[in-house]
Amino acid sequence: MAELTLREALNRALKEALERDPGVFLMGEDIGAYGGAYAVTRGLWKQYGPERVRDTPISEAVIVGAGIGAALAGMRPIVELMTINFSLLAADQIVNTAAKLHYMSGGQLEVPLLIRTVTGGGGQLGATHSQSFEGWYATVPGLRVVAPATPYDALGLFRACLKDRNTVIFAEHALLYGVRGQVPDEYYEVPLGLAEVKRQGSHLTIVAYSRMVHIALAAAEQLARRGVESEVIDLRTLRPLDTEAVVNSVRKTHRAVIVEEGWQSGGIGPLLALLIQEQAFDHLDGPVVRVAGADAPAPYNGRLERSGIPNEDAVVKAVESRFGL
Amino acid sequence: MKVKEKLSKELVAQLYRQMFLIRRFEEKSAQMYMLGKIRGFLHLYIGEEAIAVGSIPVLQPEDYVVTHYRDHGHALARGIAPKVVMAELFGKVTGSSKGKGGSMHLFDRRLNFMGGYAIVGGQLPVAVGLALASKLRAEKSVALCFFGDGALNQGEFHESMNLASLWKLPVLFFLENNLYGMGSHIDRTFAGGREVHRAADHYRMAARRVDGMDILAVRDTTQEALEWCRSGKGPYFIEAETYRFRGHSMADPEEYRDKEEEALWRPRDPLSNFRRFLTEEGWAGQGEVEMIEGEVEREIEEAVRFAEESPEPPPETLVEDIYA
């Protein structure tokens, strides 16, 4: 067991992948000599050389497209898109090519491509650099979407992604890289499509992923101080989505709150609310509650920006006002 | 027609057979479209056959082919059976993609035919990746990537040309310049002028223009280019000047180009010219040519019969093959 930051856990995951499989190579903008915009790949260029840790031009479409081509040819590319905001420049390759080739070829082709990217706001980076598009990608059949909240899950999910034969969007929250957690020394995996109950409770279920898991846990702590016990579920992967874990919890607690950072009008929340309504309607004591990001571009001003991102007070307030708890 | 390679009767007959096969396959497809047997988009390769047949048979089995949505000719030249392609156009389960890809998305993994790509320019980055894998594994495979003049103005063209040249990857960029991106003439869409192959200069990439209506010229140029790519010198760019004798797709009313332009290109028809070359230069007698044509006609009829008689994909396949 070692205490690692999420950044260190991912660095270990990448190093391990490079060690274990000669077909693995990394490719992305400034991941080599510079060490990565978020320093996740630091040290790897020196250790594994510029052939396996490849600095690319700022060319998102060809970074992803070349990853697809190399994957088709039987390699195991891991590409980094510096942030999910820039993935829009590669959206055609991700959605029209990576996600479709297996289906369109009648099952002949496989695209085992791992796309690491940085999601989320809160860093005062303004409207174009603070978005959360993992929910968009989760609407696309053919893609896997993963969003870890802890160092343990980051490493365990990463290993599962490497064994998967499909294209994965691996969304790392910019503000979670410094989060610390215990990581076993021995090998383990966290399977895709398996949510985790982070805290047991009987009065309500709070569903979240990525950074919002920490917000949900903090809110649950506040609520517990006055006797309201929350069950907190970390989805961990948005596609496949562990509907069963959520529905089972809601059947027990009879109340559901979905917390996510992205815009109110999109994301995984609406689908989840629908599934809860379809599969646990008779168990609900009230409407499904949603706490999401403001329907606004992210402003630069820190106070304004913070006001548009769900925090623990917003979750507690929603629980109070909507459930009277 | 001049050619450096030493030709044999067998080779010349084989090339003619493939060109004639593509021509008749496309004509038959058009007919089947009019009968409602083929739906969706159908883009015919008629007029451009010398490019696919001039280049693809020169490849080795380990080379890759990626192409655009006008892909029947490339698929047939690579060796996918006509009946399997026709069944795909009919949407039948016996098609190359079990009826789920369609005309624009033909694939054959075993032949390294990595597909038809229907978003203009989308295949270019994929070709770069196939070539990258070849280079990283120190293999000799080349990625042959077809695209049309419409793709020149996509950002992916620039990104792919740049990266392939920067990393010296074995990509053979093969521009099929038929002068039209859908209905827009290249003079109205491309600022770089009509010496399109000069676009490669900017990337310090070797480039040549070839008469895309002359199968032997295409064959020569392709061989040179492949040798270049295989020797580790990096990518190569070929611009083949060509013309499609049919509309952009079957839905095209063709109001944007005049009959005079078509009349100028008609005498350059690659198929009838190569047929004349065969008989006039003594590579094949009239009877031999007619025998080839008869065989192909029967093969096409058989392909249609196979497609007609094949079953529809079972309903459950709608949600199969989404994940590997």
Side-chain angles (χ1 to χ4, degrees):
Chain A
M1 221 34 134
E3 195 188 70
L4 298 182
T5 63
L6 195 141
R7 175 184 289 111
E8 288 163 344
L10 285 169
N11 186 270
R12 183 165 140 190
L14 292 168
K15 201 177 285 186
E16 181 182 282
L18 285 159
E19 284 294 336
R20 288 186 171 206
D21 182 354
V24 166
F25 68 96
L26 317 185
M27 181 161 60
E29 296 158 3
D30 276 316
I31 64 164
Y34 186 98
Y38 290 86
V40 174
T41 53
R42 184 175 287 164
L44 301 179
W45 188 69
K46 271 206 175 124
Q47 194 172 347
Y48 296 96
E51 288 293 304
R52 295 190 75 197
V53 182
R54 307 183 73 87
D55 276 325
T56 66
I58 301 170
S59 292
E60 284 82 7
V62 78
I63 293 170
V64 173
I68 293 168
L72 288 176
M75 306 239 359
R76 197 63 182 82
I78 300 170
V79 305
E80 176 176 313
L81 290 176
M82 196 182 285
T83 84
I84 206 163
N85 306 281
F86 313 159
S87 77
L88 300 189
L89 288 148
D92 173 56
Q93 288 296 327
I94 297 169
V95 177
N96 279 321
T97 304
K100 302 291 193 293
L101 283 178
H102 187 63
Y103 192 83
M104 290 197 306
S105 66
Q108 294 183 68
L109 303 189
E110 294 178 355
V111 190
L113 170 65
L114 211 166
I115 303 173
R116 290 185 42 246
T117 189
V118 180
T119 189
Q124 284 194 259
L125 302 180
T128 61
H129 280 57
S130 308
Q131 302 166 103
S132 304
F133 291 137
E134 59 279 357
W136 278 12
Y137 289 116
T139 66
V140 180
L143 293 180
R144 306 265 195 226
V145 179
V146 176
T150 66
Y152 178 93
D153 283 349
L155 179 58
L157 287 166
F158 191 92
R159 287 168 171 159
C161 290
L162 271 185
K163 285 195 177 166
D164 198 84
R165 301 297 299 160
N166 302 284
T167 296
V168 181
I169 305 288
F170 196 93
E172 304 159 11
H173 199 292
L175 301 188
L176 289 184
Y177 282 126
V179 163
R180 294 180 169 278
Q182 292 296 318
V183 177
D185 298 325
E186 60 274 19
Y187 186 88
Y188 67 95
E189 285 174 27
V190 174
L192 305 182
L194 196 66
E196 189 192 17
V197 177
K198 303 289 280 191
R199 181 189 174 111
Q200 303 265 357
S202 54
H203 297 131
L204 73 146
T205 300
I206 308 178
V207 187
Y209 69 88
S210 189
R211 181 167 171 259
M212 289 299 123
V213 171
H214 301 277
I215 300 296
L217 287 169
E221 200 61 42
Q222 264 197 47
L223 289 164
R225 274 183 235 130
R226 50 183 152 96
V228 177
E229 290 303 332
S230 314
E231 185 140 300
V232 176
I233 294 182
D234 178 1
L235 292 170
R236 302 200 286 197
T237 64
L238 304 188
R239 194 174 187 119
L241 187 62
D242 190 354
T243 313
E244 201 186 330
V246 174
V247 168
N248 285 345
S249 176
V250 173
R251 283 180 178 156
K252 186 177 82 177
T253 65
H254 312 298
R255 297 179 186 91
V257 183
I258 303 164
V259 187
E260 68 184 309
E261 184 176 321
W263 295 308
Q264 180 76 29
S265 53
I268 200 75
L271 172 63
L272 211 48
L274 173 76
L275 293 169
I276 293 169
Q277 192 242 177
E278 279 178 353
Q279 296 177 34
F281 185 76
D282 291 337
H283 299 267
L284 286 172
D285 280 353
V288 175
V289 172
R290 183 131 182 275
V291 182
D295 251 336
Y300 161 66
N301 176 277
R303 187 171 300 187
L304 274 184
E305 186 190 25
R306 281 191 294 280
S307 75
I309 299 175
N311 58 20
E312 57 191 86
D313 292 337
V315 177
V316 170
K317 213 169 131 193
V319 170
E320 284 170 353
S321 64
R322 305 296 294 279
F323 297 139
L325 290 172
Chain B
M1 278 186 188
K2 280 187 191 154
V3 66
K4 291 172 204 151
E5 182 187 11
K6 199 170 174 331
L7 295 174
S8 69
K9 282 185 78 142
E10 293 71 29
L11 174 67
V12 171
Q14 178 61 20
L15 295 177
Y16 179 72
R17 188 184 196 286
Q18 288 198 357
M19 273 173 80
F20 187 74
L21 174 76
I22 294 172
R23 176 68 56 94
R24 290 297 296 132
F25 184 94
E26 296 294 60
E27 286 168 351
K28 185 58 81 175
S29 299
Q31 200 185 334
M32 292 298 113
Y33 182 89
M34 300 308 284
L35 290 172
K37 305 276 186 188
I38 298 172
R39 308 299 289 261
F41 287 133
L42 182 68
H43 308 89
L44 303 177
Y45 199 59
I46 294 173
E48 307 186 28
E49 297 92 339
I51 297 175
V53 181
S55 58
I56 292 172
V58 178
L59 298 175
Q60 296 299 315
E62 64 269 23
D63 293 325
Y64 299 102
V65 181
V66 290
T67 183
H68 42 72
Y69 47 80
R70 196 180 303 285
D71 59 351
H72 311 166
H74 306 112
L76 294 170
R78 188 59 167 164
I80 308 187
K83 64 179 190 178
V84 173
V85 180
M86 189 62 84
E88 187 61 31
L89 304 195
F90 273 56
K92 297 300 183 70
V93 72
T94 51
S96 43
S97 294
K98 304 179 193 167
K100 300 200 314 190
S103 160
M104 304 191 287
H105 306 118
L106 301 172
F107 301 85
D108 192 320
R109 182 70 187 88
R110 281 163 307 174
L111 296 170
N112 274 355
F113 188 78
M114 307 309 265
Y117 292 72
I119 306 292
V120 172
Q123 72 277 29
L124 294 153
V126 176
V128 171
L130 291 163
L132 174 60
S134 170
K135 180 164 179 164
L136 286 173
R137 292 191 297 220
E139 295 167 350
K140 288 285 174 201
S141 311
V142 175
L144 170 55
C145 178
F146 295 101
F147 56 103
D149 41 297
L152 292 168
N153 308 312
Q154 290 280 30
E156 286 172 329
F157 172 72
H158 165 64
E159 292 191 27
S160 301
M161 293 283 283
N162 182 60
L163 198 63
S165 188
L166 188 71
W167 288 354
K168 292 206 178 322
L169 303 178
V171 185
L172 174 44
F173 291 97
F174 207 125
L175 167 62
E176 298 183 330
N177 182 3
N178 67 19
L179 301 174
Y180 290 87
M182 196 163 156
S184 295
H185 193 273
I186 189 165
D187 289 346
R188 297 200 293 126
T189 56
F190 183 66
R194 291 292 278 274
E195 299 271 304
V196 180
H197 59 292
R198 310 255 40 133
D201 295 354
H202 182 64
Y203 307 95
R204 300 187 184 187
M205 193 187 297
R208 263 189 70 183
R209 170 183 270 183
V210 66
D211 178 0
M213 308 306 258
D214 178 344
I215 179 173
L216 297 178
V218 171
R219 191 173 162 91
D220 265 352
T221 307
T222 305
Q223 269 164 341
E224 266 181 42
L226 286 172
E227 214 169 290
W228 176 278
C229 294
R230 277 194 230 289
S231 68
K233 291 180 184 155
Y236 200 100
F237 185 99
I238 295 176
E239 176 197 1
E241 294 176 290
T242 187
Y243 201 73
R244 57 170 160 72
F245 289 132
R246 301 292 288 260
H248 166 72
S249 74
M250 288 299 287
D252 180 358
E254 280 200 82
E255 284 164 358
Y256 52 87
R257 53 179 203 188
D258 53 43
K259 293 287 160 212
E260 286 162 35
E261 183 183 82
E262 203 189 318
L264 282 175
W265 281 90
R266 269 293 167 193
R268 294 176 68 182
D269 178 6
L271 186 71
S272 51
N273 284 340
F274 195 52
R275 192 182 200 276
R276 196 173 315 117
F277 171 80
L278 253 66
T279 51
E280 288 180 4
E281 306 273 326
W283 291 102
Q286 192 66 31
E288 286 168 277
V289 172
E290 279 167 15
M291 201 174 79
I292 291 171
E293 290 170 348
E295 282 169 15
V296 168
E297 294 291 0
R298 282 189 293 281
E299 197 175 354
I300 299 287
E301 288 308 321
E302 167 59 21
V304 170
R305 194 191 57 76
F306 176 78
E308 290 264 25
E309 290 174 3
S310 288
E312 297 270 329
E316 65 271 18
T317 62
L318 171 69
V319 290
E320 285 175 2
D321 293 328
I322 296 172
Y323 291 95

